[in-house]
Each structure stands twice: as structure tokens, then as C-alpha cells.
Amino acid sequence: MALSRLSLNTSSSSLSRLLFRPSLLSASRLFSSSDVLTIETSVPFTAHQCDPPPRTVETTPKELLGFFRDMSVMRRMEIAADSLYKSKLIRGFCHLYDGQEAVAVGMEAAITRRDAIITAYRDHCIFLGRGGSLVEAFAELMGRQGGCSKGKGGSMHFYKKDSHFYGGHGIVGAQVPLGCGIALGQKYSKDGTVTFAMYGDGAANQGQLFEALNMSALLDLPVILVCENNHYGMGTAEWRAAKSPAYYKRGDYAPGLKVDGMDAFAVKQACKFAKEHALKNGPIILEMDTYRYHGHSMSDPGSTYRTRDEISGVRQERDPIERIRKLILSHELATASELKDIEKQARKEVDEAIAQAKENPMPDPSELFTNVYVKGFGVEAFGADRKEFKAVLP
Amino acid sequence: MAGALQAATAALLSSTPLKTYGSDRLRLGSAPRSLAGRKGSFLVVRSDAGFGSGSNARTRPGKLIPNAVATKPDASASSTSSKPGHELLLFEALREGLDEEMARDPRVCVMGEDVGHYGGSYKVTKGLADKYGDLRVLDTPIAENSFTGMGIGAAMTGLRPVVEGMNMGFLLLAFNQISNNCGMLHYTSGGQFTIPIVIRGPGGVGRQLGAEHSQRLESYFQSIPGLQMVACSTPYNAKGLMKAAIRSENPVVLFEHVLLYNLKERIPDEEYICCLEEAEMVRPGEHVTILTYSRMRYHVMQAAKTLVNKGYDPEVIDIRSLKPFDLYTIGNSIKKTHRVLIVEECMRTGGIGASLQSAIIKEFWDYLDAPIKCLSSQDVPTPYAGTLEDCTVVQPAEIVKAVEDLCK
């Protein structure tokens, strides 16, 4: 499972493994960890120009508990980032993903690490899902050299090349042509993998998206466009920004699927379906109907354009972690107190990662000039007081 | 991800050793007889010769002895048929460079409007789609923003795309992708992703093409960190720079000029590349350093003929590398001549000349005997009328006058 490797990277690795195992191995369980459970998604899929996949999803207790654990860690990380921002350890822009965790976790369950994911600036949890560690994430947020981009990227520029996570982009919509280009590279190399190019309901109105979709459809590129529709483009509600808020239909000739983005199993099913489709027939659009509890970013309270009742209503009825908790409890895979323990463990991991990240030093001043160019033809970038007159030639 | 490709690439790369003609030949310092060893005659065509875009008419050969100081009849003045190397036009040189790189490395691909079946609007990619297929020489719809973005995304996975803008001015639509994604991704990812992309296309003032098709984008791109910019001016350096740009791991923008595509020159048969960060010594001299690039090189050389007749000895350097500047070659020249004239086609405000001027003042102030003169295009949209268009760009007569003023 994607995030269970997280525990190996943090300092409390052995402890978390001890806490994790007993809940699966105790005698009073009705299911063993290899049993298959059948779960129905919350709502059926709505399809455009294709046949929707079935509502019933197969899963295992291990996967269920894995979902719960991963989403708890993600939720804790985002809440911790909130308080770090307020205590001015994180500066600039910080876009939080809490409420949308089901999309990250469900997608990871359906694909491999060789498939590529590219997303916009709300990327902390996707990074975690791709195998990034909490320490790297917090160090990057605090601008330390142990961060995933050596502290030079920041909140909006998390990348993980070895897991094919292509970031982390600040300009709305610009990552979608990049994602189609990654799919072009995948088709060129014929390696049977797909790219998930994620964007939001705000970016869905960008022209470059349709340009890229046109080219991808012409070339049958294995790209899946995932619209994470949290219904607000910063402060503008979707009905004020889009004449047609049915984002899954906006592909016109490209098939689309509308998915309940707060249900991790619906996301998993849709992504599996989309991957098979994209490898055979080219691009497909997935619209994830999801919701963010925080505002657009830390400078946005999130309550000037929507009511607090709406936010708490969604939290009560559709919260992704609560859904998994209810599923686990109803199938009696763990007790409520064991789930509480998992959440406490997640909190502990996050706190330890923050402590470790705080110890991490700031980048060296010489790092200002590294990675501007690749040292191939020996170009060097100099500071304002250039001491040398020529570039180093090979 | 590109496992099979990497194996093939490794096999190809290990078999072809590389000669860098540029850095061996052109690191001149203050040696006056620098061009004697150079093969290939230097063909200069006057700026008023007819250059139809994509026309089949052969240009009138005008002979210029490169080294006006030495009046002995060089081997370069004799007949060309017995000389080694082969003669071709600039767009053919670009195509040859591209073809050789595509044959050498299967990851190199081309994308742009009408580059495939049509063969390229300036014939640079003619025949390549038949040879390498439609995926490697990709015809894109008219969507610069997204296909430049796709090229950058493909580069992130390990491909080496060459993105063609049919005219450099159209790439303004892709400015976000070029600035933010192309230039900055290597830095913001902490070195994880390299973007070995080449963005090329013709720019500059043509023959009455109108304001929107006569843009000079060097000035707009020059502050983008992480980008390298080069401008080619002869078939020799066009092929060399194209090959070097494709092999570079950095994103490179290669500026070509609409009016230079039909220049003819004899280039070596052997494989060579030109160093991306090096300037080219066109004509060594003693009295004044003239820095120029792209088409203005030819205006300068034409003015140089007049100047030589009047007794001046200008040193002409084609800076070639627009970002970063080759301050080594330029500095050595200034230390010798103490006078600088910059001749460029960019606008006066915020152009390459403006940046070069400030870099020279910063570094070489103590060596200057006169203020730097910078001749650039006027800060106006390029008019359609021929006479007005000629006034927008720098003409040889102005260059002559500027040198005379400098050397008073």
C-alpha cells in the first residue's frame, strides 16, 4: 500500500509497525486479511460517451485499513500545515487538501508507481500518496534543504521523479499540456503506462486544456484528465464561472465519467476503468465531485463565498475518512478504539516529522545558483558581482 | 520508462566520437591570423539582394575576403569545386543538423505546425517525416501554448523534443510554458527534472511581413532564468548550434532569421558542433569592436567594406550566444580596441543590446576610451511600407557613421 512505506521513513518506524499488525491478527476477527469484500459505491457513475463501470467494488480488509490510515495521515498533515502557517513557519502560498483525500488515495490504489501523476498546487497529499515522506514534505514547506525540492520549490512545487510524480505547478491549467506531453513520452516509449493529469474546476475553463485534449485525442495518448471539482475556483462558485458545470461532458468527443470524489472506492473503480480505457482508446475525463474544508489557500478564510453550514454539512454527511470508518466498523474489521489508535499514531508520526523537519538546516547560500542550468556544457550562473568573464567551456 | 530507448541510445552514443570544431577554431584571443586555417569560404550576400521566403531563386554570390587586412589572395577566393566539404543553404544546414541528431538518438523528435507532411514552412524539416514517421515529426494543430507545454512534458520523461514556432512571434502564446515550466522546472524540482528541449523558429524583420510577423523575441526571453538563447547566422553555425542545442541538457531557444534561410556556404563533411556559449570572431581588427548577431552581421560586414576603404580596421564579433553572453571573447576584444559598437535588430528599449551594454560597462569600464554606442531597431511596430521598414532596422550607412563617430 502506498503510504504504509511512510512509516519506514519516519523515526517511529518500528513502533508503528507494532501498532499496525495486532489489529489485523487478533483472534476475534471475522475476516482474514486476504478475504475479499464487496462494497457498493455511494452513487452510481454518470457516463458521457461510454458505458460506466459497475458500482460494486472488491476490496480487502488490508486495503480498507490502509485507506483509513493513509487518509488520516494526510488529514493530520494538512491540519498541521495549517497551524505551522499560522505560526509563520510556512510562508507564501499554502493550499490544503483536507476533504479531498479520497481522490489521492483511491487513485493510488488503482495504479502503479510507473504511471504518472501531475497536478496543480494542491499537491501535498498526492506527493504523500506517491511515496513521498512526511519529513520531506514538511521540510520543503518550511524551506529547508531536506525538502523534496531542496527547499527551492515550496508548497506548490513538490516533485518525485522516481515515483513519476511530476508536480506541483503554480499556474492554473499549465500542467495539463505537460501531462499530455508526459503521455506522449509514454506512448513514444511504448511502456503501457498512463498519465493522470489533474486540475480543478477553475482550471477547467482554461483554453490550453482543450487544446491539449484535442491533440491527445488525435494521437490517442494514454492520458486521463481528472477534474477535482470542489465547486469553488478560489472564491468563485462553479455556476458563476462555467456555463456548463458538467465538467465530465466538456470533453465533447472524449468520453467522461462523473465520480463521487468523497468515496475512495468510487475513485478507485473509476481510475481503474479509466486506465484500461486510456490505454486502448485515448483520453478520458474523470470528474471527481469533491469538497475542500479549508479555503482556497491559507489567506482565504473560505467562508465569504460559502456558508459554514454548507462546510459542516459536507463534513457530517460526506467526509471520506468517516465513510471508511463506518465501513470498517460495519464489517467489524477493527474496533472504534483501534481506529482511534491509528489516528493517534498518525498524529504522532506527523508531529515527529515536523520536529525532524524543524531541525533541518536552511539551504546553503550557494544553492541559490545550483540547478539553474544542468552542468553539461559547463554554463555557470553568477551572482550580481560577476568575478569571472567567461562561461566555463567543455 | 524509456528502458529500451536508453539501451539503444547508449549503443549509438558510444559509437560516435565528437569533434568540436567551434571551440578549437574560434578561441582566438588576440591572434590576428585566426581565420587562415578555416575551411569553407565565407559567403556574404548583400542585404538588398532578393530573399523571397522559400523561393527557389539562387542568390547572387558576392565574394568577400574575410580578412581585409591581409590582401594576399587566399585559398578562399579560388574556385570552390576542388575544396573539401559540401555547399548548402542555411535551411538545409539546419535540416542536416536535425537529421543527424535524429539518426543518432532515437529520443530526438520534432513537433510544430506543418513540420511533417508539409515539410516545414521554411523547408527545415522537409523529408524528415517520411524518414522518421509521424510520431517523431509531429504535425500539431495551431495551439502553441499546449504543444509547447506538451513538448516540455515529453522532455520531462526523457524525450528530446525540438519545438518549432512557425514564426517566433507565435511563441508569445506559449510564453507561460516557456518561462515557468521550461525555464524553471529544473530549479523548482531541486534538480530532479531536466528539460532538454530546443525551441526554434524564424524571427526578425523580414520583407514587409507586417508588425506581428516581424517580432524579435530575444528581448522578451532574455530574463527567463534557466533558459539558454543562441542565434545562428551562417549555415556553418546554424548546423553546429542546432546539434549542440539538441545535445544540451538545458532548454535552448535557437533564433533563426527569416531572411537568412537562403544563405549558401560550404560546410565540412565531418561531424561538428558549435559551442553554445561561445561568440564567433568574424573579422579581427584593431580600432573598434563591433558586436552583432543574426542578420545584422551582414549589414555590419557590408559596412566593414566601406570602413576598410576609409582606413578603419573594425573587429567584428558575432556574439551568437545571447544568454549567457560570451564575455571572455568580448572582453578580450575590448581590452584590445577600447571602443565598442553594438549593432542589433532588437528594440532599443530592453533589448539584447541594452543588456550587453550594461554588462560591458560593469565589467570593462576601465578599458573603454569612448562611450558604448548601441544601434538598435526603433521602438515602433514594424511598418508594412518598404521604405519605413528599412528605417526601422539599422542600415550599413548608419553603422559606418557610428564607427566614424566612435573613432574620432
Side-chain angles (χ1 to χ4, degrees), chain B residues 131-158:
Chain B
K131 194 169 168 186
Y132 296 108
D134 280 344
L135 189 62
R136 271 187 94 181
V137 185
L138 190 63
D139 276 326
T140 63
I142 306 175
E144 283 79 7
N145 196 358
S146 55
F147 73 69
T148 310
M150 284 177 69
I152 296 166
M156 285 169 94
T157 66

mmCIF file of all heavy atoms in Angstrom, chain B residues 131-158:
data_model
loop_
_atom_site.group_PDB
_atom_site.id
_atom_site.type_symbol
_atom_site.label_atom_id
_atom_site.label_comp_id
_atom_site.label_asym_id
_atom_site.label_seq_id
_atom_site.Cartn_x
_atom_site.Cartn_y
_atom_site.Cartn_z
ATOM 1 N N LYS B 131 11.092 9.951 -43.362
ATOM 2 C CA LYS B 131 12.196 9.122 -42.879
ATOM 3 C C LYS B 131 11.910 8.576 -41.472
ATOM 4 O O LYS B 131 12.198 7.422 -41.186
ATOM 5 C CB LYS B 131 13.442 10.003 -42.847
ATOM 6 C CG LYS B 131 14.731 9.261 -42.694
ATOM 7 C CD LYS B 131 15.909 10.196 -42.956
ATOM 8 C CE LYS B 131 17.195 9.520 -42.511
ATOM 9 N NZ LYS B 131 18.348 10.411 -42.591
ATOM 10 N N TYR B 132 11.337 9.424 -40.597
ATOM 11 C CA TYR B 132 11.232 9.025 -39.187
ATOM 12 C C TYR B 132 9.816 8.768 -38.713
ATOM 13 O O TYR B 132 9.612 8.376 -37.582
ATOM 14 C CB TYR B 132 11.862 10.107 -38.293
ATOM 15 C CG TYR B 132 13.335 10.287 -38.526
ATOM 16 C CD1 TYR B 132 13.823 11.416 -39.169
ATOM 17 C CD2 TYR B 132 14.246 9.321 -38.117
ATOM 18 C CE1 TYR B 132 15.171 11.577 -39.389
ATOM 19 C CE2 TYR B 132 15.593 9.477 -38.330
ATOM 20 C CZ TYR B 132 16.051 10.602 -38.978
ATOM 21 O OH TYR B 132 17.390 10.765 -39.197
ATOM 22 N N GLY B 133 8.824 9.004 -39.536
ATOM 23 C CA GLY B 133 7.463 8.696 -39.120
ATOM 24 C C GLY B 133 6.738 9.883 -38.515
ATOM 25 O O GLY B 133 7.326 10.892 -38.160
ATOM 26 N N ASP B 134 5.432 9.698 -38.391
ATOM 27 C CA ASP B 134 4.583 10.816 -37.973
ATOM 28 C C ASP B 134 4.654 11.112 -36.491
ATOM 29 O O ASP B 134 4.289 12.207 -36.074
ATOM 30 C CB ASP B 134 3.118 10.507 -38.327
ATOM 31 C CG ASP B 134 2.839 10.774 -39.790
ATOM 32 O OD1 ASP B 134 3.663 11.467 -40.412
ATOM 33 O OD2 ASP B 134 1.824 10.288 -40.296
ATOM 34 N N LEU B 135 5.077 10.171 -35.679
ATOM 35 C CA LEU B 135 5.127 10.461 -34.241
ATOM 36 C C LEU B 135 6.405 11.217 -33.914
ATOM 37 O O LEU B 135 6.415 12.086 -33.056
ATOM 38 C CB LEU B 135 5.049 9.161 -33.427
ATOM 39 C CG LEU B 135 4.888 9.334 -31.922
ATOM 40 C CD1 LEU B 135 3.592 10.049 -31.612
ATOM 41 C CD2 LEU B 135 4.911 7.988 -31.224
ATOM 42 N N ARG B 136 7.485 10.920 -34.658
ATOM 43 C CA ARG B 136 8.733 11.614 -34.381
ATOM 44 C C ARG B 136 8.796 12.978 -35.029
ATOM 45 O O ARG B 136 9.552 13.832 -34.600
ATOM 46 C CB ARG B 136 9.926 10.785 -34.869
ATOM 47 C CG ARG B 136 10.424 9.838 -33.820
ATOM 48 C CD ARG B 136 11.689 9.178 -34.267
ATOM 49 N NE ARG B 136 12.843 9.912 -33.786
ATOM 50 C CZ ARG B 136 14.090 9.575 -34.038
ATOM 51 N NH1 ARG B 136 14.339 8.531 -34.792
ATOM 52 N NH2 ARG B 136 15.090 10.286 -33.576
ATOM 53 N N VAL B 137 8.044 13.178 -36.088
ATOM 54 C CA VAL B 137 7.984 14.501 -36.701
ATOM 55 C C VAL B 137 6.504 14.845 -36.691
ATOM 56 O O VAL B 137 5.768 14.536 -37.621
ATOM 57 C CB VAL B 137 8.551 14.485 -38.138
ATOM 58 C CG1 VAL B 137 8.583 15.881 -38.704
ATOM 59 C CG2 VAL B 137 9.941 13.895 -38.129
ATOM 60 N N LEU B 138 6.082 15.469 -35.608
ATOM 61 C CA LEU B 138 4.660 15.565 -35.294
ATOM 62 C C LEU B 138 4.053 16.851 -35.819
ATOM 63 O O LEU B 138 4.503 17.945 -35.493
ATOM 64 C CB LEU B 138 4.518 15.503 -33.770
ATOM 65 C CG LEU B 138 3.132 15.359 -33.201
ATOM 66 C CD1 LEU B 138 2.534 14.055 -33.640
ATOM 67 C CD2 LEU B 138 3.204 15.398 -31.693
ATOM 68 N N ASP B 139 3.016 16.706 -36.634
ATOM 69 C CA ASP B 139 2.234 17.865 -37.074
ATOM 70 C C ASP B 139 1.268 18.224 -35.964
ATOM 71 O O ASP B 139 0.438 17.408 -35.583
ATOM 72 C CB ASP B 139 1.411 17.509 -38.318
ATOM 73 C CG ASP B 139 2.199 17.641 -39.599
ATOM 74 O OD1 ASP B 139 3.048 18.544 -39.655
ATOM 75 O OD2 ASP B 139 1.964 16.855 -40.524
ATOM 76 N N THR B 140 1.347 19.431 -35.468
ATOM 77 C CA THR B 140 0.433 19.812 -34.393
ATOM 78 C C THR B 140 -0.652 20.732 -34.937
ATOM 79 O O THR B 140 -0.468 21.383 -35.956
ATOM 80 C CB THR B 140 1.166 20.589 -33.288
ATOM 81 O OG1 THR B 140 1.664 21.808 -33.847
ATOM 82 C CG2 THR B 140 2.317 19.794 -32.722
ATOM 83 N N PRO B 141 -1.779 20.794 -34.253
ATOM 84 C CA PRO B 141 -2.756 21.826 -34.588
ATOM 85 C C PRO B 141 -2.207 23.194 -34.179
ATOM 86 O O PRO B 141 -1.156 23.280 -33.537
ATOM 87 C CB PRO B 141 -3.980 21.474 -33.737
ATOM 88 C CG PRO B 141 -3.677 20.220 -33.061
ATOM 89 C CD PRO B 141 -2.236 19.938 -33.147
ATOM 90 N N ILE B 142 -2.930 24.236 -34.518
ATOM 91 C CA ILE B 142 -2.432 25.577 -34.230
ATOM 92 C C ILE B 142 -2.745 25.893 -32.769
ATOM 93 O O ILE B 142 -3.746 26.533 -32.454
ATOM 94 C CB ILE B 142 -3.074 26.601 -35.175
ATOM 95 C CG1 ILE B 142 -2.839 26.152 -36.613
ATOM 96 C CG2 ILE B 142 -2.473 27.970 -34.946
ATOM 97 C CD1 ILE B 142 -3.516 27.014 -37.625
ATOM 98 N N ALA B 143 -1.884 25.439 -31.889
ATOM 99 C CA ALA B 143 -2.146 25.559 -30.455
ATOM 100 C C ALA B 143 -0.805 25.671 -29.746
ATOM 101 O O ALA B 143 -0.404 24.757 -29.044
ATOM 102 C CB ALA B 143 -2.930 24.338 -29.979
ATOM 103 N N GLU B 144 -0.115 26.794 -29.931
ATOM 104 C CA GLU B 144 1.259 26.926 -29.439
ATOM 105 C C GLU B 144 1.388 26.679 -27.951
ATOM 106 O O GLU B 144 2.319 26.030 -27.507
ATOM 107 C CB GLU B 144 1.814 28.340 -29.720
ATOM 108 C CG GLU B 144 2.241 28.601 -31.131
ATOM 109 C CD GLU B 144 1.060 28.890 -32.015
ATOM 110 O OE1 GLU B 144 -0.042 29.014 -31.469
ATOM 111 O OE2 GLU B 144 1.234 28.984 -33.223
ATOM 112 N N ASN B 145 0.441 27.243 -27.181
ATOM 113 C CA ASN B 145 0.528 27.111 -25.731
ATOM 114 C C ASN B 145 0.572 25.641 -25.346
ATOM 115 O O ASN B 145 1.434 25.204 -24.595
ATOM 116 C CB ASN B 145 -0.687 27.796 -25.110
ATOM 117 C CG ASN B 145 -0.501 28.045 -23.620
ATOM 118 O OD1 ASN B 145 0.505 27.679 -23.042
ATOM 119 N ND2 ASN B 145 -1.470 28.682 -23.010
ATOM 120 N N SER B 146 -0.339 24.861 -25.899
ATOM 121 C CA SER B 146 -0.394 23.475 -25.467
ATOM 122 C C SER B 146 0.679 22.623 -26.112
ATOM 123 O O SER B 146 1.207 21.741 -25.444
ATOM 124 C CB SER B 146 -1.764 22.882 -25.726
ATOM 125 O OG SER B 146 -2.087 23.043 -27.073
ATOM 126 N N PHE B 147 1.066 22.843 -27.360
ATOM 127 C CA PHE B 147 2.071 21.913 -27.874
ATOM 128 C C PHE B 147 3.460 22.237 -27.346
ATOM 129 O O PHE B 147 4.293 21.341 -27.204
ATOM 130 C CB PHE B 147 2.035 21.712 -29.399
ATOM 131 C CG PHE B 147 2.531 22.826 -30.276
ATOM 132 C CD1 PHE B 147 3.877 23.162 -30.318
ATOM 133 C CD2 PHE B 147 1.652 23.489 -31.113
ATOM 134 C CE1 PHE B 147 4.333 24.166 -31.167
ATOM 135 C CE2 PHE B 147 2.097 24.483 -31.956
ATOM 136 C CZ PHE B 147 3.432 24.826 -31.987
ATOM 137 N N THR B 148 3.695 23.493 -26.985
ATOM 138 C CA THR B 148 4.950 23.777 -26.287
ATOM 139 C C THR B 148 4.924 23.103 -24.912
ATOM 140 O O THR B 148 5.907 22.497 -24.487
ATOM 141 C CB THR B 148 5.153 25.288 -26.117
ATOM 142 O OG1 THR B 148 4.960 25.915 -27.369
ATOM 143 C CG2 THR B 148 6.535 25.607 -25.601
ATOM 144 N N GLY B 149 3.770 23.195 -24.234
ATOM 145 C CA GLY B 149 3.633 22.507 -22.948
ATOM 146 C C GLY B 149 3.823 21.014 -23.090
ATOM 147 O O GLY B 149 4.473 20.369 -22.265
ATOM 148 N N MET B 150 3.275 20.448 -24.160
ATOM 149 C CA MET B 150 3.432 19.010 -24.362
ATOM 150 C C MET B 150 4.882 18.664 -24.641
ATOM 151 O O MET B 150 5.383 17.631 -24.194
ATOM 152 C CB MET B 150 2.540 18.540 -25.511
ATOM 153 C CG MET B 150 1.091 18.458 -25.087
ATOM 154 S SD MET B 150 -0.027 17.990 -26.383
ATOM 155 C CE MET B 150 0.418 16.307 -26.648
ATOM 156 N N GLY B 151 5.565 19.519 -25.377
ATOM 157 C CA GLY B 151 6.984 19.274 -25.605
ATOM 158 C C GLY B 151 7.749 19.267 -24.300
ATOM 159 O O GLY B 151 8.618 18.417 -24.066
ATOM 160 N N ILE B 152 7.412 20.191 -23.412
ATOM 161 C CA ILE B 152 8.102 20.247 -22.125
ATOM 162 C C ILE B 152 7.764 19.017 -21.284
ATOM 163 O O ILE B 152 8.629 18.417 -20.650
ATOM 164 C CB ILE B 152 7.735 21.550 -21.392
ATOM 165 C CG1 ILE B 152 8.240 22.746 -22.190
ATOM 166 C CG2 ILE B 152 8.317 21.584 -19.994
ATOM 167 C CD1 ILE B 152 7.657 24.054 -21.765
ATOM 168 N N GLY B 153 6.499 18.603 -21.300
ATOM 169 C CA GLY B 153 6.112 17.398 -20.571
ATOM 170 C C GLY B 153 6.840 16.182 -21.104
ATOM 171 O O GLY B 153 7.310 15.331 -20.342
ATOM 172 N N ALA B 154 6.947 16.086 -22.437
ATOM 173 C CA ALA B 154 7.670 14.959 -23.031
ATOM 174 C C ALA B 154 9.132 15.015 -22.636
ATOM 175 O O ALA B 154 9.758 13.985 -22.365
ATOM 176 C CB ALA B 154 7.516 14.984 -24.549
ATOM 177 N N ALA B 155 9.710 16.213 -22.572
ATOM 178 C CA ALA B 155 11.101 16.349 -22.173
ATOM 179 C C ALA B 155 11.301 15.884 -20.737
ATOM 180 O O ALA B 155 12.338 15.320 -20.400
ATOM 181 C CB ALA B 155 11.555 17.800 -22.321
ATOM 182 N N MET B 156 10.307 16.091 -19.887
ATOM 183 C CA MET B 156 10.410 15.631 -18.502
ATOM 184 C C MET B 156 10.507 14.120 -18.428
ATOM 185 O O MET B 156 11.062 13.572 -17.488
ATOM 186 C CB MET B 156 9.193 16.079 -17.681
ATOM 187 C CG MET B 156 9.198 17.537 -17.299
ATOM 188 S SD MET B 156 7.600 18.022 -16.642
ATOM 189 C CE MET B 156 7.863 17.796 -14.915
ATOM 190 N N THR B 157 9.945 13.410 -19.421
ATOM 191 C CA THR B 157 10.026 11.951 -19.363
ATOM 192 C C THR B 157 11.297 11.426 -20.002
ATOM 193 O O THR B 157 11.555 10.232 -19.960
ATOM 194 C CB THR B 157 8.858 11.289 -20.107
ATOM 195 O OG1 THR B 157 8.966 11.574 -21.500
ATOM 196 C CG2 THR B 157 7.532 11.767 -19.599
ATOM 197 N N GLY B 158 12.086 12.295 -20.631
ATOM 198 C CA GLY B 158 13.342 11.838 -21.215
ATOM 199 C C GLY B 158 13.458 12.020 -22.708
ATOM 200 O O GLY B 158 14.525 11.820 -23.276
#
